[in-house]
Amino acid sequence: MSEPNRLDVLRCADQDREVVATLLNNAYADGRLTFDEHAERIARAYDAKTFGDLTALTTDLVVVDPPRPAPQPLSAPTPGYPPMQAAPPRSGLPVTPGAFTGGNALLSTFNPGRIGVVAGEVTLNTWLGETRLDLIGAAFERRDTTIHVGGGLCDVKIRVPEGVDVNLSGVSLIMAESKVTGLLPRPDGIRLTLVGTLIMGELKVVGPAMDRRRYERFIR
């Protein structure tokens, strides 16, 4: 019998149960859980004794990042950085095969590294952890891309290349902060819209017009 994961057997606190309950509430509001599923999982969340008990309630809400195909260039590169890329035409397909659709950080750091193609809809859930998303050199499945963010007691960092505009008006902040700096959008560039809720966290989006050294080190 294999040794259990140390985190799975660690005792959880009331605050940890509340964090998972908020995640389940968001999933229910998004239509990813039915009324009965939500009620049953909420009850189990408040009865949970260990982090393993809590993790079992959210495993099917985690977005897996599959292998990524090589994209084709969209435009001239930002000096010193790889070019933005254009994914092949969607032709009615729901998602480009291999496109990045997001991920979760629960008491951990989510850093997918170099991204090939960004799906038109991305979900980032960060609870008691950190998400670092670097979009330098990535292809975008759609010109209008939406990133759904949710989390609590978290730090979400996103770095974007030249030609990307960012809109945070759809993000609700509860005892949290957000900041966008250094963007160099283009009229024909990518439009990135962030929506969702952050509780007691920080959301930062930076572009190449900020201090060069800080921009290069931001995602590390």
Side-chain angles (χ1 to χ4, degrees):
M1 183 175 179
S2 61
E3 184 179 349
N5 184 292
R6 179 70 181 87
L7 182 60
D8 286 346
V9 298
L10 189 67
R11 287 275 177 163
C12 58
D14 287 342
Q15 184 179 47
D16 306 314
R17 298 182 187 95
E18 290 292 345
V19 166
V20 172
T22 302
L23 174 60
L24 295 173
N25 289 339
N26 288 343
Y28 175 62
D30 291 341
R32 289 184 289 153
L33 292 176
T34 66
F35 177 84
D36 290 339
E37 288 171 333
H38 173 258
E40 187 247 341
R41 294 193 193 195
I42 284 290
R44 289 171 58 190
Y46 286 116
D47 286 340
K49 299 295 188 298
T50 67
F51 283 103
D53 296 334
L54 294 177
T55 301
L57 303 175
T58 61
T59 51
D60 59 346
L61 302 176
V62 175
V63 181
V64 178
D65 181 18
R68 309 172 184 112
Q72 299 298 317
L74 170 64
S75 59
T78 301
Y81 293 95
M84 282 196 301
Q85 310 278 332
R90 299 187 72 234
S91 303
L93 296 176
V95 178
T96 299
F100 173 77
T101 56
N104 284 16
L106 178 59
L107 289 163
S108 62
T109 295
F110 174 62
N111 186 351
R114 182 176 174 81
I115 294 174
V117 180
V118 179
E121 298 278 339
V122 173
T123 300
L124 300 174
N125 288 311
T126 312
W127 299 93
L128 296 168
E130 183 177 17
T131 290
R132 301 179 181 181
L133 183 62
D134 192 358
L135 300 181
I136 298 296
F140 289 83
E141 185 185 48
R142 305 178 201 166
R143 181 184 178 193
D144 290 293
T145 298
T146 301
I147 297 182
H148 300 267
V149 295
L153 296 169
C154 62
D155 190 5
V156 180
K157 301 178 180 178
I158 302 175
R159 184 170 70 163
V160 301
E162 181 179 347
V164 175
D165 198 8
V166 177
N167 181 358
L168 297 185
S169 62
V171 178
S172 297
L173 301 173
I174 303 174
M175 299 179 65
E177 298 179 353
S178 66
K179 182 178 182 180
V180 178
T181 184
L183 300 184
L184 289 175
R186 293 198 301 262
D188 60 344
I190 301 298
R191 294 189 293 252
L192 198 63
T193 300
L194 278 72
V195 298
T197 302
L198 286 185
I199 305 169
M200 298 177 66
E202 186 174 21
L203 171 62
K204 291 183 181 178
V205 183
V206 300
M210 71 179 296
D211 177 78
R212 183 72 172 208
R213 182 176 299 179
R214 292 178 61 195
Y215 180 65
E216 292 175 346
R217 294 175 57 86
F218 186 84
I219 213 72
R220 297 176 189 174

